Amino acid sequence: MRRYLDEIGPHCTLKLTKNPGSARALAREAVVEGHEIVVAAGGDGTLNEVLNGIGDVPGAFEWVRLGVLPLGTVNVFARELGIPRRLPHAWRIVLGGRERRIDLPKVEFQQHGGGATRYFAQMAGAGLDARAIQLVDWGLKKRFGPFAYVIAGLRAMRGPHGPISVDVAAQTTTGQLVLIGNGRFYGGSYVLFPDADPGDGLLDVRVFSKVSWKVLLQCGIGLLTRTLPRAAGGVCLRASDFVLRGPPDTLFELDGELIGNLPARFRIEPRALRVLIQ
């Protein structure tokens, strides 16, 4: 890593994150300094912070392009856009890749007694999904990677699972787990939303009416057999604007990071994000 940093250092300004949230501040700082390309070097959580740091500067998405060096545990967004995990190849895309415009999802919710807005790139979830992220053991994540999320999911199954409603126009669909995708992949290179397109102006939503060991077993078989969308079941929706509601303590996550509690309104800014791809 030090050798790669020495190689790319002369071509960019390196900004080191020190704690959760610092990537957002550094990205905002980079935009204010006038950098037209801001690169997220890390996992999906770091990417989410960088995305929101750009969004903190009014109008920045109109002229700033996002680059990605996928150095995290799962890197779902990079997998979706075909960005290679090997650092030299990913860096070449930053230097000379082409631009692709994709949709920019955002969530409006209440935080600390006031309204808040948060962008995300690839995925979101409420219910068991977010609870599992809350229970992930950092040591296990560093040692075993994505397997740590499996263990956390099993632990999350023990708790209560309140009803979550998805309000789309005049239609309401209710379940115990809601997963949302701005692309096909979820949790890795697992296709959960086969019809999703990051540039179609819509989010794909899968609502599971009940969370049970049977559902988890079906999903596990689906992962092994590459038939996850059919094995997982659930109600599938597509919308550009919808609201999730649930008990006050119901958590939701964006790009694998806990953000807050429901209710939350999800919306799309069509083709507002400029991303460098190969």
Side-chain angles (χ1 to χ4, degrees):
M1 175 59 71
R2 289 184 178 274
R3 177 167 58 84
Y4 285 135
L5 290 178
D6 289 339
E7 291 178 2
I8 70 176
H11 305 284
C12 65
T13 300
L14 296 173
K15 295 179 180 289
L16 179 65
T17 59
K18 296 181 179 180
N19 47 53
S22 65
R24 180 171 183 170
L26 293 174
R28 179 172 61 249
E29 178 181 272
V31 174
V32 172
E33 291 171 351
H35 292 281
E36 296 182 4
I37 297 176
V38 179
V39 181
D44 292 302
T46 301
L47 171 72
N48 185 275
E49 288 192 18
V50 169
L51 192 66
N52 282 278
I54 298 173
D56 285 339
V57 181
F61 285 121
E62 297 176 7
W63 58 274
V64 174
R65 291 179 290 172
L66 175 69
V68 181
L69 297 182
L71 305 177
T73 306
V74 184
N75 306 300
V76 184
F77 184 69
R79 294 171 189 264
E80 182 73 36
L81 297 184
I83 297 172
R85 293 195 64 182
R86 293 196 61 188
L87 184 54
H89 299 294
W91 181 245
R92 281 198 289 270
I93 294 174
V94 173
L95 294 180
R98 63 185 177 90
E99 177 186 310
R100 179 182 177 186
R101 286 182 175 267
I102 66 173
D103 299 331
L104 181 60
K106 66 180 181 181
V107 184
E108 299 165 352
F109 61 104
Q110 292 294 310
Q111 187 176 57
H112 307 308
T117 299
R118 187 77 178 243
Y119 295 100
F120 68 100
Q122 177 74 16
M123 55 189 179
L128 176 70
D129 166 78
R131 174 63 176 156
I133 289 173
Q134 183 184 43
L135 295 174
V136 167
D137 181 274
W138 177 255
L140 287 178
K141 181 179 177 181
K142 298 302 290 184
R143 290 179 61 190
F144 301 112
F147 184 67
Y149 290 99
V150 177
I151 297 175
L154 295 175
R155 292 177 59 196
M157 281 291 297
R158 301 171 186 168
H161 308 290
I164 302 171
S165 67
V166 183
D167 299 332
V168 181
Q171 177 184 356
T172 298
T173 304
T174 303
Q176 292 183 336
L177 168 63
V178 178
L179 301 179
I180 300 161
N182 190 37
R184 298 170 301 143
F185 293 153
Y186 197 94
S189 55
Y190 306 116
V191 178
L192 184 59
F193 308 101
D195 299 321
D197 179 350
D200 65 359
L202 298 170
L203 286 170
D204 285 51
V205 185
R206 191 176 286 265
V207 184
F208 297 87
S209 60
K210 187 176 181 180
V211 175
S212 64
W213 295 106
K214 179 181 178 182
V215 171
L216 287 185
L217 179 60
Q218 289 173 337
C219 289
I221 294 173
L223 289 176
L224 294 174
T225 60
R226 297 290 178 177
T227 60
L228 181 57
R230 179 160 46 85
V235 176
C236 299
L237 308 170
R238 308 190 78 204
S240 60
D241 189 336
F242 57 91
V243 177
L244 297 190
R245 306 182 192 277
D249 59 345
T250 305
L251 297 166
F252 74 91
E253 58 89 7
L254 305 177
D255 292 325
E257 299 294 322
L258 284 180
I259 301 300
N261 299 85
L262 299 183
R265 181 181 182 182
F266 288 73
R267 294 197 290 173
I268 279 278
E269 294 185 11
R271 300 173 61 81
L273 181 60
R274 305 168 66 182
V275 188
L276 293 172
I277 64 171
Q278 61 184 345

